[in-house]
Amino acid sequence: MTVLVTGGAGGIGSAVCRSFSEKGYDVIVHYRSGKERAEQLCREIKNKYGTNARAVYCDVSAPSSVREMFDEIDRANERVDILINNAGVARQKLFTDITDDEWKNMRGVNLDGTFYCCREALKRYMLPSHSGVILNISSMWGQVGASCEVHYSAAKAGVIGLTKALAKEVGLSGVRVNCIAPGVVMTDMMKGFDEQTLNELREETPLNRLGTPEDIAEAALFLCSDKASFITGQILGVNGGFVI
């Protein structure tokens, strides 16, 4: 089986790719700007796990680019059995300072990209075969909102709404759609936070630690496996109890 991971070369994405490869899945690693990092990850996966892995470029916010990515997958005689919509951007800014372009970019990558990739995977592979799994990566801020991250929170809330509605629509076609809402996870997105802020976030988390990309990857493995065959339309909070 083959899994396509958007944002596959990032912190959470690379952990997801490694975890699925370790379980024997072939992996398509999507990237937009980190070509070298994505290709290095593919080499690592092949050498360590012996499964197939290759990198594909796409700007997920552009429908034409998404179609081209799936065309490339078709030309390679591959299919997408599992789609993990992980590509995302985050930014802290006062609401009144958010520009039109920043709003469009935030929505474009986090929400529009999820929509475009779901549409292609469903039309090309999942609906015709009456099988498949879609897993969307949202955020706990999509559940409860975050001050100074209104555009991010709104886009991630949209991912949650998309997940629930799509699960209802494609369930009879044998396709499951779920969502993970991560808490504070130590990735490159957290590099802008100083140690004091990280300690405060850690103290606000009932489990008294911050998340790791591997925490998200393990949850993803479960939701995409046959062990979760009766689970669809659900939002799984992997946040250490930060949001309950």
Side-chain angles (χ1 to χ4, degrees):
M1 295 182 72
T2 300
V3 54
L4 167 61
V5 183
T6 69
I12 290 176
S14 60
V16 169
C17 289
R18 291 187 182 98
S19 294
F20 276 80
S21 298
E22 186 177 10
K23 295 298 183 182
Y25 290 88
D26 293 332
V27 174
I28 300 172
V29 182
H30 156 265
Y31 69 91
R32 187 183 67 83
S33 58
K35 180 179 181 181
E36 184 176 335
R37 186 168 49 177
E39 291 178 343
Q40 174 57 38
L41 176 62
C42 290
R43 289 191 292 269
E44 174 194 328
I45 285 171
K46 291 176 183 177
N47 292 335
K48 188 171 183 179
Y49 305 115
T51 53
N52 293 324
R54 70 184 189 90
V56 294
Y57 165 82
C58 176
D59 175 1
V60 297
S61 69
S64 59
S65 186
V66 173
R67 285 193 296 269
E68 176 54 34
M69 175 175 67
F70 278 87
D71 286 345
E72 182 179 338
I73 293 170
D74 287 344
R75 288 193 293 268
N77 293 317
E78 296 171 327
R79 58 169 286 120
V80 175
D81 300 292
I82 298 171
L83 168 65
I84 299 180
N85 287 302
N86 169 72
V89 293
R91 192 174 298 110
Q92 288 192 311
K93 201 165 189 181
L94 287 172
F95 175 72
T96 51
D97 291 339
I98 297 171
T99 67
D100 292 349
D101 286 341
E102 287 169 338
W103 171 261
K104 291 176 183 177
N105 176 254
M106 188 68 68
R107 187 201 66 209
V109 176
N110 290 305
L111 179 56
D112 295 355
T114 297
F115 170 80
Y116 298 141
C117 289
C118 286
R119 183 171 63 182
E120 294 301 320
L122 284 166
K123 286 168 56 178
R124 296 179 189 236
Y125 315 114
M126 297 181 181
L127 294 180
S129 67
H130 279 251
S131 66
V133 178
I134 295 173
L135 179 63
N136 300 320
I137 307 299
S138 179
S139 166
M140 65 179 181
W141 302 131
Q143 297 175 295
V144 299
S147 174
C148 296
E149 292 187 68
V150 170
H151 48 348
Y152 179 75
S153 300
K156 289 300 190 179
V159 171
I160 289 173
L162 183 153
T163 297
K164 292 181 177 182
L166 188 58
K168 291 181 178 181
E169 186 167 330
V170 300
L172 286 176
S173 297
V175 180
R176 296 190 297 110
V177 188
N178 287 297
C179 179
I180 292 175
V184 183
V185 178
M186 289 306 297
T187 66
D188 287 346
M189 286 186 177
M190 297 301 296
K191 284 185 175 180
F193 293 84
D194 58 33
E195 192 60 34
Q196 179 181 344
T197 301
L198 293 177
N199 284 333
E200 290 172 355
L201 290 169
R202 189 178 294 110
E203 290 172 1
E204 286 186 64
T205 304
L207 291 183
N208 198 36
R209 73 171 178 88
L210 303 182
T212 68
E214 289 71 27
D215 291 323
I216 310 304
E218 288 301 312
L221 269 174
F222 168 69
L223 285 174
C224 294
S225 73
D226 290 340
K227 293 179 180 179
S229 62
F230 198 51
I231 299 175
T232 195
Q234 301 305 304
I235 315 303
L236 177 62
V238 184
N239 59 45
F242 198 106
V243 172
I244 297 177

